Amino acid sequence: MAKFNLIEEPWIPVLRNGKVEEVGIREALVNAHTITRIETPFPLEEAALHRLLLAVLYRALPPVKGKYDALDLLDRGEFDRGSLEGYLDKYWDRFYLFHDTAPFLQIPDLPQEDLLPWSKLLPQLANGNNPTLFDHTVDENPPLASYAEAARALVVHQSFAPGGLLRRLGVTSAKDAPLARPAAFLVMGANLFETLVLNLVPQGDPGMPVWEREPLRVKDVEKHATKWSLSGVSLVYVWPSRGVRLVDEGQGVRWMDYGPGVEPQEVAWRDPMVAYRQDKKGSILPLRLSMEKSFWRDFGAMLPAAGGTWPAVLVHAGELEEEGVSFTLRVLGQVSDQAKILDIRREVYPIPKDLLTPKGEGLLDRGLKVAEEVARGLRQVAWRVAQGVLGNRDASELQNFANSLPLLSLYWAQLDLDFPDFLGRLPEQGALDLWRERIQKAARGAWEETRRFVGTEARHLKALAEAERAFRGLLAGMKEEVKG
């Protein structure tokens, strides 16, 4: 049995000529120049589908060795049809979603017992111990997924599955998929062709993808019998994190077999779509998304002066930007607490020319520090309010009251809206002055709302009056800095 070939069948959602349609891998790559972008409401799906297409390109095309190879590719305006079709035809049989011996990204001889709902593959669908993020699916009555939905869910899960208890085939717990914790950076061009070229970071050895290897069997994953080095874009971008076998019901998928996948062996290799920072102990760690703040507040951790690194896709795109190519940046990923997915995010930022220069990085660093310095001042203002309202109370009680005030949350919410404009204006010197003005305006607006929030009793008014002096001192300090 061979059914639903991902090379030819429509399953990747794209925007073309103003309309959303689904295409197969061949159409997505051969005619990428006619497609505006992959179009999906799900950030993890967007990241996983791009990584799959990139993994194919790394093996099908002559290697992009540097900026000038990428520029030549952009000048041609489309990928070489002969190279792509020759490669896809060669591995045609390895891209069937259902296949007796080699189903795509699956293990064909998983025992058909203790089946799980297919919805376990997607964090936005409720199942097991996942909180309900976007729907009310339950394990006992999973919806019937179309083949296209199931294929997308499979690719997402293999990239984003968080580690945790498994207790199947002799494996107690599974490890994180490659993007289970890190934020993924995706550079977006004018169309899908440009986007893929901008993310086609030069590599030495791209590695051998799963579809070029012998199909995995139960004996290969039982008790984590198979261990591969976590390196090589074509392998890591479509990593077999879990053993899966989708059960075909004739019209779609409702259930699946599930088990361990290949155990990743950590090596000194960095994912081009991930940014890294150095902690106080000197360890190199990937940057993650946070529930408490938008990702732009961690941009400073990527600056070389702070011991960090920009993601390789952004550095590669920046080199092409010097030659007139423009792009935006998307930060995609999930926020998790161990095996529980708490949030899924997509943040979009403009990336101006010359941002990745000493001048651009210096102004960005200063802008981020000013925002944090004012936030620290606002925390002191909130503390003054708490002391004035509650008097001599336990420090934890005062802190809880200060945290309940809307001062900081409103301040950061406004800067979330203002930051992209500041970033887009860099490295112009005037951008920093305008950013300071936006910071002051955000602080004033947050303080005015906090005043209304606190109350009008005598002790409230007295507390606000004392805190007002601290607030004015904070803004005066900002003005003095500008003058200096």
Side-chain angles (χ1 to χ4, degrees), residues 242-255:
R242 301 290 184 272
V244 176
R245 186 185 182 188
L246 300 172
V247 178
D248 181 17
E249 293 194 3
Q251 299 294 324
V253 175
R254 199 183 306 273
W255 303 99

Side-chain angles (χ1 to χ4, degrees), residues 167-207:
R167 293 175 180 164
R168 286 173 179 254
L169 298 179
V171 175
T172 302
S173 61
K175 291 188 176 181
D176 285 341
L179 290 181
R181 313 291 169 180
F185 291 74
L186 180 66
V187 177
M188 300 293 291
N191 55 44
L192 180 58
F193 167 73
E194 275 195 16
T195 293
L196 293 170
V197 175
L198 287 166
N199 290 277
L200 203 62
V201 179
Q203 299 287 303
D205 179 8

